[in-house]
Amino acid sequence: MSLRVDGLTVYYQSLRGDVKAVDGATFDVADGEIMGLAGESGCGKSTLGKGLIRLDARMRYVGGRVELDGHELPIADDARMNQYRLKEVSLIPQYALSALNPTRKIGRMATDLLHARGVDPHTVLPELRRRLQLVGLSEDVLDRYPMELSGGMKQRVVMVLSSVLDPSLLIADEVTSALDVSTQKAVARLLVEFRDRGFVKSIIVITHDLSVLAQIADTVMVMYAGKLAEKASTHAIVGAPQHPYTSMLLAALPEVGVRFADRRLAGIPGRPPSLLNPPAGCRFRERCPFAEARCAHEPPFVEVGPGQQAACWKVPAC
Amino acid sequence: MRRYLIRKVAIYALTFWVAVTVDWAIPRFMPGDPVDRLISRMQAQPSSEHALNSYYTNAFGFDVPLWKQYVNFWAALFHGDLGVSIANFPTPVWDLIRGALPYTLALLVPAIVLAFWAGNKVGAMAARRKALDNTVLPVGYLLTATPQMWLGMLLVFVFATTLAWLPVSGAYDLSLQPAWTLEFARSFLQHWILPFLALFLVAFGGWAIGMRNMIIYELEADYSNYLAALGAPTKLVRKYAYRNALLPQITGLALALGSVVAGAIVVEIVFSYPGLGTLILNSIENRDYFVLQGVFLFLIVGVLIANLIIDIAYVFIDPRTRIGMEGGA
Amino acid sequence: MAVTAKQELRVQAGPRPSARRSEFLYFALRNWKFVAGATVVLAMLALALIGPALISTPPLAFTGPTDSPPSSEYWFGTTSFGQDVFAQFVWGLRAAFLVGALGGGIAWVIGAAVGFTAGYRGGLVDDVLNMLTNVVLVIPTIAILIIVAAYLNLHSYAAEAVLIGATSWPWAARAVRAQTFSLKTRDFVDIARLSGRTTRGIITREIAPNMSSYLLMMWILLFGGAILIGASLDFLGLGPATQVSLGQMMNSAYSSSALLLGFWWWFVPPGIGIILIVGGLYVMNVGLDEVFNPKLREL
């Protein structure tokens, strides 16, 4: 599978105007690739992820084109998009822990959903049960109500359900954020396993936690204030980040074994700009230690090395 | 589960006891002597007043100590003896109630059931279409702010007095006797429709608005968003939302019973409908304390039982409460 | 917890009290439902306050011709006894507001007190208060009201309001208790407790302000409900005998066969008055809900 996104722009409508959550995102995801999508809170990564599958009531499609496996995804048209959901593109939502109908047995909800999507549940149930066991859940989870399961169990149920029809693209939105560290590891490993076993072709993992991405992602794309900052292989991002924001983000991560007395954590002073009226030019300008005059013009997101793209005047394009 | 039921029944039993005691106590601690009242209305000879007084005081059991009156009251209660009407002496209170009850039920039960069903359906539909919503909402709020007796009066004025399409009062044409005949049924329905509407419309407004708000809440819930993200058709999402929204509505039904009963009482009065409401009004005017006591006991027990039934049914309907009680995760 | 670009949409209310108040006013005045409802209610209130002062004839006085329809002299016509219906109407409005505000207020105080205490304390206190609430809740209010009012012969609307307030608090107590439960576990309550605040202090300083919007809306509902219950009581002839209220007007009209004789001007205005006040309050409430809960605000 391949995903090509070109100039995707999605705004949020608010009483005070449009919040420019995603502004002109252009990137590719290759077949079998696990791409991490990282950034601060409010940078637009969730909006980007959600926009690829369903624009909710407050989101507004402004422009851009999304192509999945060669054909265009009609993301602006909710009705036409429906045939792709669950079957080609699927989502593990941020709110997975409350994503299941509390008054319906999980198995019944699954069969209701499959039935409504024109899929005979009986053809899918055996595989569903197998995958539940694969993720460490017993089959009788299908006979339970959501409130009988723990958070981690619900998370895994949602992961299995979302991928049961083997979609090409799986969007995992903050799937590890609400979990404890050991469960995080298990869930992250499961994502990789899903890809390795072919349950899904490619995954976009949205998180603010770079350390998780360092473990499972093939490539990482960093967003800042609605714009793409950098995209490269995980190895390159972690080892040789080009965009100043990426390097500062990495520097802000605590290192195992290093103590506060030895080295203070470096943060990034300042706050992200308001997306209601984002500043002209590079949006990271205010907080960037390398800002100069030409940063008043927005740097394009270009290739700066083999398989590496960044949007910064400081980094010479290839 | 059993503990829950036992607790519920215990609380209702306690409520019953409190209600009965209050019901019994008030007439005896209020100023004024009902026997004196009765006698003065009889306009008897002053010389025979004393004899009448002791006769009635004895007949009504006022001559024994209070605690004994209380005990006797409970004893009589368990025999189904609610006392004797002062105004309609010697008719037993129970007979008066038995005569009036069917008419009240004929108004209450259809009004509650239909208003709940129709109100919820319309409320759910309103949450779907903006155009419908813009009518249902204001109409609903107006209806639920309408005093039922006033709506009854308006209906009488328009349909009975002015247009003369329907009768003004009563439960059936006075020339007929209650019987299982088509003629009586027709007459009964003609007399029934306006008071029924007065009750139905106000309740309907309340349920419609309640459901509309609940559905909107459910449609914005995480599970609705998840289903939609996975491409579930709106029909499925709405079906789930409707079922989940019904649950708090059922709880609300239990809470609203008291006010529907109050509405029925005043509506019956407007239409002189021979139910418990008219009985109550007459008893108030005649200061017929025993009838009032009896009717209220009846109402209280009725509402209590209905509440208990709804409480128990709810446990079975909502899996969350059921699981919670069986000690789920 | 990850906060998204929706932060811009101000989902969470958290700024300082003065900012919060002005934010409230900003949105409240722009919400047409709130404004419309408030306008109607305030208009009726103005009529209730000023009307009786402007009208010289006492409402129960037999001043005019009997049974006359609305005219330029008698805006709402006269009753079968020759009383000025409009005069009765404005005096009735006053009684309605009194019963609503006082009755609703009393129910609010009791409900809040019981709810907060039960919700915050939990345990045995909660069990006892819960039982009390359940008992008062299930007993049909109208029954108790009729019994007591029939025996007590209420002398004033204030007394009627007290009676109504004392019997209509249970649902409010339940609602407050549920909210308190969920707030009780929040961090700021723990901090207050650790810094030695008394229970009463915690309830009034920490928990209640966080529920202030809910409490306000609750009072409005109780206000409306008290008016409706009061009207029913008055209609049954159980209100103060020598005074005028909207329910009493309807009672009077009904007993004088105004329905059959077609004297619509006698009983229609009081009902409309109630619908306007109570309906106005309910619509205000809807508007307030949208103001306080930004998710409901129309975009």
Side-chain angles (χ1 to χ4, degrees):
Chain A
M1 94 101 219
S2 62
L3 177 75
R4 303 186 91 96
V5 177
D6 193 2
L8 181 59
T9 307
V10 175
Y11 292 169
Y12 271 106
Q13 304 167 84
S14 82
L15 279 174
R16 301 183 179 184
D18 281 339
V19 176
K20 290 145 187 82
V22 176
D23 224 338
T26 304
F27 62 95
D28 292 345
V29 179
D31 190 22
E33 180 179 326
I34 295 184
M35 181 182 93
L37 180 47
E40 278 175 76
S41 300
C43 70
K45 53 192 195 300
S46 257
T47 311
L48 176 51
K50 282 202 277 210
L52 291 175
I53 185 168
R54 179 175 172 251
L55 298 170
D56 69 34
R58 257 164 299 197
M59 290 158 72
R60 192 163 69 90
Y61 166 81
V62 177
R65 186 186 152 85
V66 177
E67 214 181 82
L68 182 66
D69 290 338
H71 45 252
E72 184 175 357
L73 274 188
I75 55 174
D77 187 339
D78 192 67
R80 283 205 299 140
M81 197 51 200
N82 235 19
Q83 59 180 137
Y84 296 95
R85 294 179 178 134
L86 189 60
K87 298 179 176 172
E88 305 281 341
V89 193
S90 195
L91 172 74
I92 304 174
Q94 197 167 359
Y95 47 82
L97 296 182
S98 49
L100 302 166
N101 185 353
T103 60
R104 201 95 169 141
K105 286 192 184 166
I106 293 174
R108 276 195 78 185
M109 177 183 148
T111 45
D112 282 347
L113 176 62
L114 290 169
H115 196 71
R117 292 304 316 277
V119 175
D120 181 1
H122 292 105
T123 56
V124 179
L125 272 177
E127 179 63 22
L128 183 63
R129 290 201 190 96
R130 222 174 304 145
R131 294 193 187 180
L132 284 172
Q133 282 180 330
L134 179 73
V135 300
L137 296 169
S138 91
E139 244 181 61
D140 63 1
V141 144
L142 291 176
D143 268 330
R144 301 219 176 285
Y145 289 97
M147 66 178 286
E148 295 178 80
L149 306 184
S150 72
M153 290 165 85
K154 281 190 276 197
Q155 179 75 283
R156 279 175 279 165
V157 166
V158 170
M159 285 175 74
V160 169
L161 190 56
S162 290
S163 56
V164 76
L165 293 184
D166 296 344
S168 286
L169 176 65
L170 180 65
I171 301 165
D173 193 354
E174 305 273 10
V175 293
T176 53
S177 308
L179 304 172
D180 61 273
V181 185
S182 39
T183 322
Q184 276 185 15
K185 178 171 163 185
V187 167
R189 288 250 176 98
L190 276 179
L191 283 178
V192 180
E193 195 166 347
F194 275 28
R195 188 270 314 263
D196 292 342
R197 285 181 182 250
F199 295 166
V200 305
K201 298 236 185 66
S202 312
I203 308 182
I204 296 181
V205 182
I206 304 173
T207 177
H208 54 266
D209 191 347
L210 279 172
S211 38
V212 167
L213 294 181
Q215 300 292 319
I216 62 169
D218 301 318
T219 56
V220 173
M221 188 163 82
V222 179
M223 274 184 82
Y224 182 79
K227 297 262 182 204
L228 302 184
E230 184 168 1
K231 180 175 190 286
S233 70
T234 314
H235 187 251
I237 288 274
V238 172
Q242 295 299 303
H243 196 285
Y245 177 61
T246 316
S247 11
M248 293 176 88
L249 207 53
L250 286 165
L253 285 176
E255 218 178 288
V256 174
V258 177
R259 298 165 62 168
F260 182 72
D262 306 327
R263 184 168 19 126
R264 295 193 119 160
L265 269 185
I268 309 180
R271 289 160 51 121
S274 152
L275 291 179
L276 265 176
N277 277 318
C282 175
R283 294 187 181 176
F284 188 56
R285 219 170 109 208
E286 297 293 310
R287 304 164 81 186
C288 182
F290 304 108
E292 32 179 74
R294 59 178 166 165
C295 298
H297 300 287
E298 191 181 318
F301 188 66
V302 291
E303 185 139 342
V304 297
Q308 191 160 6
Q309 299 159 290
C312 179
W313 294 118
K314 184 190 138 253
V315 186
C318 277
Chain B
M1 171 78 96
R2 213 172 354 134
R3 262 184 57 204
Y4 172 78
L5 284 177
I6 292 178
R7 265 189 84 196
K8 273 281 161 180
V9 172
I11 291 186
Y12 279 109
L14 176 70
T15 309
F16 179 64
W17 177 79
V18 168
V20 168
T21 305
V22 167
D23 188 58
W24 169 88
I26 291 182
R28 284 164 179 76
F29 293 112
M30 289 301 141
D33 188 343
V35 175
D36 280 345
R37 272 247 174 120
L38 173 63
I39 294 174
S40 63
R41 246 184 310 118
M42 285 178 162
Q43 292 174 324
Q45 299 265 25
S47 51
S48 45
E49 257 179 34
H50 183 77
L52 281 170
N53 197 311
S54 42
Y55 170 71
Y56 282 115
T57 307
N58 181 272
F60 291 124
F62 288 135
D63 51 347
V64 293
L66 264 178
W67 69 265
K68 229 181 175 192
Q69 287 186 41
Y70 186 58
V71 172
N72 290 342
F73 183 68
W74 276 103
L77 199 56
F78 282 116
H79 281 112
D81 176 11
L82 289 171
V84 174
S85 162
I86 300 179
N88 298 314
F89 191 86
T91 319
V93 171
W94 173 240
D95 285 358
L96 290 173
I97 292 181
R98 210 163 36 137
L101 188 61
Y103 293 103
T104 300
L105 287 180
L107 281 185
L108 263 186
V109 175
I112 293 177
V113 169
L114 287 176
F116 188 75
W117 178 83
N120 281 327
K121 274 265 148 40
V122 171
M125 288 199 296
R128 219 185 302 186
R129 282 174 263 265
K130 194 75 182 152
L132 190 60
D133 197 29
N134 286 333
T135 357
V136 167
L137 262 193
V139 169
Y141 277 114
L142 278 179
L143 282 178
T144 193
T146 307
Q148 290 109 327
M149 69 275 194
W150 181 82
L151 186 57
M153 291 201 276
L154 193 65
L155 288 171
V156 167
F157 175 69
V158 171
F159 291 104
T161 310
T162 314
L163 292 173
W165 286 351
L166 291 165
V168 164
S169 64
Y172 52 86
D173 204 304
L174 289 175
S175 62
L176 301 173
Q177 285 290 347
W180 294 108
T181 64
L182 201 59
E183 195 191 355
F184 179 75
R186 229 185 104 230
S187 177
F188 181 81
L189 276 174
Q190 277 180 328
H191 285 81
W192 172 88
I193 186 69
L194 287 183
F196 163 77
L197 277 179
L199 282 179
F200 169 80
L201 288 172
V202 175
F204 168 84
W207 293 122
I209 289 183
M211 184 48 130
R212 179 241 180 218
N213 290 334
M214 290 311 318
I215 286 248
I216 289 183
Y217 179 75
E218 294 293 326
L219 286 176
E220 287 180 354
D222 286 340
Y223 70 85
S224 293
N225 281 324
Y226 181 53
L227 281 175
L230 294 190
T234 359
K235 236 177 65 178
L236 181 62
V237 177
R238 282 191 201 286
K239 175 173 147 189
Y240 279 6
Y242 187 75
R243 291 206 182 167
N244 285 357
L246 263 185
L247 296 173
Q249 292 288 78
I250 293 179
T251 315
L253 178 62
L255 291 173
L257 279 177
S259 81
V260 183
V261 166
I265 292 176
V266 289
V267 164
E268 280 181 19
I269 289 170
V270 169
F271 288 90
S272 298
Y273 209 73
L276 295 177
T278 311
L279 188 57
I280 290 174
L281 183 71
N282 294 336
S283 310
I284 292 175
E285 280 167 10
N286 297 328
R287 291 304 197 243
D288 194 343
Y289 299 137
F290 295 124
V291 173
L292 274 181
Q293 252 179 233
V295 174
F296 285 126
L297 215 47
F298 210 78
L299 284 178
I300 288 170
V301 169
V303 171
L304 263 166
I305 292 179
N307 264 290
L308 185 60
I309 293 177
I310 292 180
D311 266 350
I312 294 180
Y314 189 83
V315 173
F316 290 106
I317 298 175
D318 187 351
R320 289 171 287 192
T321 39
R322 206 184 337 139
I323 303 291
M325 260 176 269
E326 285 161 10
Chain C
M1 201 190 88
V3 181
T4 64
K6 286 184 195 169
Q7 203 175 15
E8 299 280 356
L9 298 177
R10 294 168 151 279
V11 171
Q12 195 59 270
R16 302 111 32 225
S18 61
R20 215 193 299 179
R21 228 173 289 132
S22 58
E23 178 195 337
F24 161 70
L25 269 180
Y26 172 84
F27 281 114
L29 291 174
R30 269 160 192 69
N31 185 302
W32 73 265
K33 289 172 193 154
F34 176 77
V35 170
T39 310
V40 170
V41 174
L42 287 175
M44 302 300 278
L45 181 61
L47 194 55
L49 291 175
I50 309 174
L54 292 179
I55 297 183
S56 47
T57 55
L60 291 170
F62 310 126
T63 89
T66 59
D67 302 325
S68 63
S71 61
S72 50
E73 199 192 340
Y74 294 104
W75 293 350
F76 282 6
T78 62
T79 72
S80 292
F81 308 109
Q83 299 155 321
D84 182 359
V85 174
F86 185 70
Q88 294 197 329
F89 180 69
V90 297
W91 278 96
L93 283 183
R94 199 179 255 210
F97 275 103
L98 173 61
V99 169
L102 185 59
I106 291 178
W108 188 88
V109 168
I110 300 179
V114 170
F116 278 133
T117 316
Y120 185 73
R121 281 295 198 73
L124 185 62
V125 172
D126 181 26
D127 280 340
V128 168
L129 285 177
N130 233 7
M131 250 190 331
L132 174 67
T133 308
N134 277 328
V135 167
V136 181
L137 179 69
V138 172
I139 296 179
T141 327
I142 194 71
I144 298 291
L145 284 175
I146 292 181
I147 295 182
V148 176
Y151 292 124
L152 270 185
N153 287 324
L154 298 169
H155 292 301
S156 70
Y157 287 111
E160 186 179 276
V162 168
L163 196 55
I164 293 176
T167 49
S168 40
W169 57 266
W171 75 261
R174 259 208 191 166
V176 170
R177 173 178 175 271
Q179 291 275 64
T180 308
F181 260 154
S182 64
L183 280 179
K184 176 168 78 159
T185 51
R186 298 262 283 266
D187 294 335
F188 63 88
V189 173
D190 288 335
I191 293 177
R193 216 195 339 241
L194 283 173
S195 42
R197 277 220 196 274
T198 62
T199 305
R200 225 180 97 220
I202 294 182
I203 291 179
T204 51
R205 288 251 159 85
E206 307 285 341
I207 295 187
N210 270 284
M211 285 176 56
S212 56
S213 57
Y214 191 79
L215 291 174
L216 174 61
M217 289 178 6
M218 206 172 72
W219 182 70
I220 292 181
L221 286 176
L222 287 170
F223 195 123
I227 293 182
L228 286 173
I229 299 177
S232 287
L233 267 188
D234 296 338
F235 179 72
L236 289 170
L238 295 173
T242 52
Q243 300 188 43
V244 178
S245 79
L246 299 176
Q248 185 266 358
M249 283 173 74
M250 292 194 260
N251 178 357
S252 217
Y254 169 76
S255 328
S256 314
S257 307
L259 292 180
L260 305 172
L261 299 170
F263 301 148
W264 55 269
W265 54 87
W266 195 352
F267 69 87
V268 167
I272 304 245
I274 294 179
I275 294 181
L276 284 177
I277 301 179
V278 178
L281 285 172
Y282 286 168
V283 171
M284 247 176 88
N285 226 11
V286 173
L288 276 180
D289 205 7
E290 287 178 4
V291 169
F292 290 130
N293 186 0
K295 274 204 200 164
L296 292 176
R297 285 185 207 151
E298 281 154 339
L299 293 160

